[in-house]
Amino acid sequence: MTLDAQPQSDSEVPKRERPVIAIDGPAGAGKSTLAAHLARRFGFLNLETGAMYRALALKAIENDYGFDEEAPLLSLASNTRITLEPQLEGNRVLLDGTDVSRRIREQDVTSAASQISIHPQLRAWMVHQQRALGAKGGVVMEGRDIGTAVFPDAEVKIFLDAAPEVRGNRRYRQAAPVEHPTDRQNAARQAPDPQTIEQKRLAEAAIIAELKERDHRDRTRVESPLQPAADAIILDSTAMSLNEVLAAAEAIVRSHLPA
């Protein structure tokens, strides 16, 4: 699946042939994990639309563009080619032919993507591209406004949510060392942990504060604010394990698809 720099006209968008599964929700709710799982489970393509914003944000960073002025960002977008290549574990993302899959997950890019996504015309441009990508259906698309703006007629709509404290804790644990370290990592860990309990608490608190700030930006922006679609099923994972969330989402999908 390729995102071309110039939007397609409505006449060029092919008729949908298979269902669309739309997953929306705030940052850190686990949308990417859920989308990848459902895509594998039901044989659909996983199109992570948030990667499109991150890729454009990365290009803005690399070219010293500000995030507050919309016109220059639109001009930058018109000369940008973003390619999404669905893989078993998420997407491979190419920015103007360069693989940026890892880079766009870093904190500075994630923060910049949240800031540029508030611009109405830029969001409209992105929405047009996202509709073209999923026009034939047979896709799982996750983001902030898939079920409300990109595909309001999606056959399945899930709004994945969780308390910001829980989302922040998950983000903090994801940044922690791997559970199965190498011998070298084990040896390095023989030294005392350089972070005190208080430092860890402050680090986690900072992540939670940032998520709350992002929530505020996403929920109060003028264009396509973050909110559940009227016909979306809200899946609150605050008190659920990952397996429970995946099982619940699978049941939702099955209940909305033809036998």
Side-chain angles (χ1 to χ4, degrees):
M1 290 285 179
T2 300
L3 169 63
D4 293 322
Q6 295 297 328
Q8 298 182 28
S9 67
D10 292 338
S11 62
E12 294 175 322
V13 177
K15 183 179 179 180
R16 185 186 308 169
E17 299 171 356
R18 303 177 68 195
V20 167
I21 299 174
I23 302 175
D24 293 308
K31 300 186 300 295
S32 297
T33 299
L34 180 57
H37 174 82
L38 292 179
R40 290 194 302 269
R41 183 67 183 85
F42 293 97
F44 284 7
L45 295 178
N46 173 24
L47 294 178
E48 183 193 6
T49 57
M52 297 160 60
Y53 284 100
R54 294 190 187 100
L56 182 59
L58 174 59
K59 188 166 184 177
I61 291 173
E62 292 177 338
N63 289 274
D64 294 324
Y65 275 65
F67 307 138
D68 297 330
E69 296 185 20
E70 184 173 33
L73 291 171
L74 276 172
S75 177
L76 185 69
S78 68
N79 293 289
T80 299
R81 185 177 182 84
I82 302 169
T83 304
L84 303 179
E85 297 181 348
Q87 308 289 313
L88 288 177
E89 300 295 336
N91 290 313
R92 182 168 180 256
V93 184
L94 304 180
L95 175 60
D96 296 327
T98 300
D99 189 339
V100 295
S101 305
R102 290 183 178 274
R103 177 69 179 93
I104 63 172
R105 307 297 174 184
E106 295 179 7
Q107 186 56 43
D108 62 328
V109 179
T110 297
S111 178
S114 177
Q115 294 178 65
I116 69 171
S117 69
I118 66 173
H119 297 299
Q121 293 183 62
L122 184 61
R123 289 197 67 82
W125 188 88
M126 284 286 191
V127 165
H128 200 115
Q129 306 308 309
Q130 292 161 6
R131 285 175 178 162
L133 284 172
K136 290 185 177 180
V139 298
V140 181
M141 302 185 78
E142 57 94 355
R144 304 288 195 278
D145 59 359
I146 307 304
T148 55
V150 183
F151 282 106
D153 60 342
E155 288 77 7
V156 184
K157 298 179 185 179
I158 298 174
F159 190 89
L160 183 63
D161 204 353
E165 292 77 13
V166 172
R167 289 184 277 130
N169 178 263
R170 291 171 181 168
R171 281 279 175 93
Y172 176 75
R173 287 188 284 109
Q174 287 173 355
V178 295
E179 294 182 358
H180 304 288
T182 63
D183 290 341
R184 179 179 297 179
Q185 289 170 325
N186 270 324
R189 290 187 193 179
Q190 299 304 313
D193 189 336
Q195 277 196 324
T196 65
I197 294 178
E198 178 63 11
Q199 287 173 326
K200 292 178 180 179
R201 186 191 68 79
L202 291 174
E204 183 176 344
I207 294 175
I208 293 172
E210 182 182 2
L211 284 176
K212 289 181 177 180
E213 181 181 347
R214 290 190 62 186
D215 285 352
H216 178 73
R217 282 201 302 267
D218 289 341
R219 295 180 190 276
T220 60
R221 67 189 177 217
V222 176
E223 184 72 18
S224 298
L226 173 65
Q227 60 185 3
D231 54 346
I233 296 179
I234 298 177
L235 182 55
D236 191 324
S237 67
T238 298
M240 300 173 68
S241 68
L242 175 59
N243 287 337
E244 289 173 335
V245 172
L246 299 181
E250 284 188 27
I252 292 170
V253 173
R254 290 194 186 95
S255 71
H256 284 73
L257 296 181

